[in-house]
Amino acid sequence: QMQLVESGGGLVQAGGSLRLSCAASGRTFRNYAMGWFRQAPGKEREFVAAITWSYENTYYADSVKGRFTISRDNAKNTVYLRMSSLKPEDTAVYSCAARYDARVKDYAAPTYDYWGQGTQVTVSS
């Protein structure tokens, strides 16, 4: 089992920035691809960003491209999501997820093995 714990959410004004963190434990973190997903009230979960185990490749939803940056620190077993130029439509619960990288076929699909409990991000207009 892998445990994932997110932090860094909160209330921010439109145009502001936040950095989310996701701390992993229980498995060899460096073997896992990591993703961020979000879910707004009344909406389905949607892909935000993902990063491969080797830092080599990152993937973003079109809606956040150029504003969000995913990164990871394998020495700290942590993945980050830097969010800038936030918009009210970014308001959601953000969750990180992990899947053994060799098994990933689509980094944007919600087929990850492990999920965190989520952290709320609220962007006011």
Side-chain angles (χ1 to χ4, degrees):
Q1 292 293 325
M2 176 180 277
Q3 291 76 45
L4 302 172
V5 180
E6 301 95 338
S7 61
L11 174 65
V12 64
Q13 288 188 332
S17 300
L18 280 175
R19 189 181 78 160
L20 306 183
S21 299
C22 172
S25 61
R27 291 283 186 176
T28 306
F29 180 73
R30 65 176 179 272
N31 292 335
Y32 284 75
M34 300 298 297
W36 284 97
F37 290 77
R38 66 186 182 186
Q39 188 166 20
K43 294 187 177 181
E44 293 187 354
R45 178 183 286 168
E46 66 172 346
F47 169 74
V48 176
I51 186 168
T52 55
W53 72 273
S54 63
Y55 307 80
E56 186 171 346
N57 293 309
T58 57
Y59 306 88
Y60 296 93
D62 288 342
S63 60
V64 306
K65 205 170 290 183
R67 300 188 298 121
F68 291 12
T69 302
I70 189 171
S71 61
R72 65 189 294 163
D73 186 337
N74 286 349
K76 295 184 178 179
N77 291 352
T78 302
V79 63
Y80 305 96
L81 185 68
R82 175 69 177 176
M83 305 184 295
S84 302
S85 302
L86 283 161
K87 305 174 182 179
E89 50 263 44
D90 294 318
T91 295
V93 174
Y94 284 71
S95 300
C96 65
R99 183 166 175 85
Y100 192 71
D101 200 294
R103 299 196 188 108
V104 178
K105 295 183 179 180
D106 180 356
Y107 289 92
T111 52
Y112 288 68
D113 298 314
Y114 305 105
W115 294 82
Q117 82 289 349
T119 185
Q120 177 71 46
V121 172
T122 303
V123 184
S124 63
S125 56

